[in-house]
């Protein structure tokens, strides 16, 4: 295949390297002519590095370089060009003008693809005389390493084009998912579940960013906590994506932005690129140390009954069978608060704390405290939890890990519910692009649809916040005994 890549910045260079390495002839063009040579030199250096590391031979690297063809002008004629992939700046008018000029010089058989990450594919296509020839082909940075591509048909895209593009992606060593032309497409949309709920926890003063990040890593198994991730990508970028997707979905409560972001962005607290964000990234800055857990022996009693209480007793076999006046009391909370348990069961407020069931099998356990908690009792409870690390957080319905997980699964379920992508593609794209330990729907199945529904019903009832309202996708599967990964029933499309 002969592919023309237009725009030779970071994304364009990566796309060109990916396509040429897969055996395609790649024409490179850019409005700034010298940028084409710079891009080819950049790719050549990466190929040389691959040779040094033994990932390819010198001969193979030479063949890849030979398939990179520089163009002097963006809109050069080319009867043999099969596909154009644009990677120019994120501006609708710029992209529309580019494709209009290409439409005048390239045959009608040439497929047009936009690498836009935020603009509607349909609106770009609508500026063409033939909007059916254009689709989205959204790569992730760095392209050669991020082996997932979103194929995004617009409202007028020819039915055969998504399949052609998906097969090209797969044949060239990456994985393809077909997604609807909606705000954020699939990956950016699904990723809002983690960061918006992290901000909600911060708004509620449940814990500081570093503590939330530690719980996200050590309890949920994420590679990076949400605030670490936002410092890496830049809060200015993250905030813009959050606002764009929330606005695009007509102010969906589940995607609601935080009031905390505008001031932080205005202050330039972007993260790594500005030197300071949720963490201090300036030279010489040190990580926030975590206090060591000092093991203690104290009378311990576990309140409640059922699987969560039984699991907590199994994890802490030294717990007493009787509540004594000096005992520390632990209550397993699932979508509920410690304060509600204290009030409902008449437990001693100063010595009763919450334990998150999700943390019982993790290296970090989470202890929830209330305004009535006695500091000495808190220290005794931390030492009695028998964990390598313990995070102390303020009491909230569901605690930190539960709220983060519920939000991740809910946003993914809402994507499936709207048929914006298949359950299989949702899980594939999210694990490949975001590095979650499992796809969000498969992750939900590890917990169980019935148990997740219980969690979300309790979160919704406790807070009254519609962001926690269970999705129809979850409710149906819990009621029918189906996994969250079960697809919707396929309806036949009626022809007019």
């Amino acid at each position: 295949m002969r592919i023309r890549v237009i725009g030779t910045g970071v994304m364009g260079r990566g796309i060109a390297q990916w396509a040429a390495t897969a055996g395609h002839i790649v024409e490179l063009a850019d409005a700034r002519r010298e940028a084409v040579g710079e891009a080819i030199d950049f790719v050549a250096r990466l190929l040389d590095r691959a040779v040094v590391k033994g990932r390819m031979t010198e001969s193979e690297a030479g063949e890849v370089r030979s398939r990179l063809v520089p163009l002097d002008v963006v809109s050069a004629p080319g009867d043999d060009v099969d596909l154009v992939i644009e990677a120019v700046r994120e501006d609708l008018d710029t992209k529309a003008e580019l494709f209009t000029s290409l439409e005048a010089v390239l045959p009608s058989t040439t497929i047009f693809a936009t690498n836009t990450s935020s603009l509607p594919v349909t609106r770009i296509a609508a500026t063409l005389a033939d909007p059916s020839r254009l689709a989205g082909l959204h790569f992730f940075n760095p392209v050669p390493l991020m082996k997932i591509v979103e194929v995004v048909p617009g409202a007028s895209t020819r039915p055969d084009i998504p399949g052609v593009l998906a097969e090209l992606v797969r044949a060239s060593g990456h994985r393809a998912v077909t997604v609807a032309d909606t705000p954020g497409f699939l990956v950016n949309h699904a990723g809002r579940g983690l960061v918006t709920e992290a901000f909600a926890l911060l708004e509620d003063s449940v814990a500081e960013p570093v503590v939330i990040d530690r719980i996200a890593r050590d309890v949920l198994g994420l590679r990076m906590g949400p605030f670490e991730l936002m410092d890496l990508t830049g809060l200015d970028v993250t905030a813009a994506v959050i606002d764009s997707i929330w606005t695009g979905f007509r102010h969906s409560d589940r995607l609601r932005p935080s009031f905390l972001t505008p001031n932080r962005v205005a202050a330039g607290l972007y993260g790594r690129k500005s030197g300071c964000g949720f963490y201090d990234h300036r030279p010489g800055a040190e990580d926030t140390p975590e206090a060591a857990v000092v093991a203690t022996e104290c009378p311990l009693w576990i309140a409640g009954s059922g699987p969560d209480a039984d699991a907590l007793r199994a994890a802490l076999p030294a717990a007493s069978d009787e509540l004594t006046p000096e005992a520390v009391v632990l209550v397993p909370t699932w979508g509920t608060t410690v304060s509600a348990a204290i009030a409902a069961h008449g437990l001693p407020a100063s010595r009763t704390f919450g334990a998150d069931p999700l943390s019982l099998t993790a290296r970090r356990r989470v202890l929830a405290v209330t305004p009535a908690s006695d500091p000495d009792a808190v220290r005794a409870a931390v030492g009695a939890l028998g964990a390598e690390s313990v995070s102390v957080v303020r009491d909230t319905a569901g605690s930190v890990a539960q709220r983060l997980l519920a939000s991740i699964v809910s946003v993914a379920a809402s994507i499936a519910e709207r048929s914006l992508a298949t359950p299989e593609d949702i899980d594939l794209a999210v694990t490949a692009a975001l590095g979650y330990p499992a796809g969000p729907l498969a992750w939900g199945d590890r917990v169980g649809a019935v148990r997740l529904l219980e969690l979300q019903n309790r979160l919704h009832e406790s807070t009254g916040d519609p962001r926690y309202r269970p999705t129809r996708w979850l409710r149906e599967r819990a009621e029918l005994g189906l996994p969250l990964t079960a697809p919707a029933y396929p309806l036949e499309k009626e022809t007019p």
Side-chain angles (χ1 to χ4, degrees), residues 332-345:
T333 57
W334 186 253
T336 54
T337 62
V338 183
S339 59
I342 291 172
H345 303 292

Side-chain angles (χ1 to χ4, degrees), residues 25-227:
I25 302 298
V26 181
E27 299 178 348
L28 282 90
D30 195 286
R32 190 169 64 90
R33 292 186 181 183
E34 59 270 27
V36 176
E38 293 169 1
I40 291 177
D41 290 342
F42 178 82
V43 173
R45 289 194 296 272
L46 291 181
L47 295 172
D48 290 341
R49 192 180 305 169
V51 172
V52 171
K53 294 184 177 181
R55 295 174 183 165
M56 63 172 53
T57 66
E58 180 61 51
S59 175
E60 290 169 336
E63 290 175 2
V64 174
R65 282 192 293 268
S66 71
R67 289 193 284 268
L68 298 173
V69 180
L71 294 181
D72 290 332
V73 293
V74 167
S75 56
D79 292 339
D80 54 351
V81 176
D82 300 294
L83 170 66
V84 171
I85 305 174
E86 69 80 12
V88 301
R89 68 188 182 94
E90 283 289 274
D91 176 75
L92 179 62
D93 291 338
T94 300
K95 293 178 186 293
E97 182 180 349
L98 169 64
F99 282 119
T100 298
S101 68
L102 292 170
E103 195 173 31
V105 297
L106 295 178
S108 60
T109 54
T110 303
I111 296 172
F112 291 165
T114 172
N115 183 52
T116 182
S117 61
S118 61
L119 298 172
V121 171
T122 299
R123 289 186 62 188
I124 298 172
T127 63
L128 297 174
D130 178 13
S132 71
R133 68 192 298 184
L134 186 143
L137 199 59
H138 181 215
F139 294 81
F140 295 86
N141 186 41
V143 175
L145 299 181
M146 296 292 285
K147 296 182 178 295
I148 188 73
V149 183
E150 295 177 325
V151 177
V152 190
S156 302
T157 302
R158 287 202 321 263
D160 62 300
I161 287 180
V164 170
L165 293 177
E167 180 53 35
L168 165 68
V169 169
R170 286 190 287 265
S172 301
H174 278 31
R175 305 173 85 173
V177 291
T178 301
V179 305
D181 183 20
T182 53
F185 304 143
L186 171 51
V187 170
N188 281 331
H189 184 175
R192 297 318 92 196
L194 175 64
V195 295
T196 55
E197 190 59 33
F199 270 122
L201 287 162
L202 200 57
E203 287 181 5
D204 293 344
S205 296
V206 175
E208 292 298 310
V210 64
V211 175
I212 295 171
D213 281 348
R214 286 168 180 164
I215 294 171
R217 291 194 311 267
D218 296 344
V219 177
L220 295 180
L222 295 172
R223 294 179 186 172
M224 298 181 72
F227 297 103

Side-chain angles (χ1 to χ4, degrees), residues 232-321:
L232 178 64
T233 58
L235 184 61
D236 53 334
V237 174
T238 299
V241 172
I242 291 173
D243 287 347
S244 173
I245 294 174
W246 178 64
T247 302
F249 280 99
R250 297 299 186 260
H251 299 172
S252 165
D253 289 302
R254 213 179 300 279
L255 303 169
R256 187 171 64 237
S258 171
F259 71 83
L260 296 172
T261 55
N263 278 352
R264 296 189 68 89
V265 171
L269 300 174
Y270 303 152
R272 291 181 183 272
K273 64 184 177 184
S274 66
C276 196
F278 296 103
Y279 296 88
D280 189 346
H281 302 282
R282 291 170 295 187
E286 297 181 357
D287 294 337
T288 303
E290 182 174 11
V293 175
V294 179
T296 60
E297 292 185 7
C298 68
L300 189 66
W301 188 70
I302 295 168
S305 60
D308 287 336
D310 291 342
L312 187 54
R313 291 187 181 98
L316 300 172
S320 173
D321 293 333

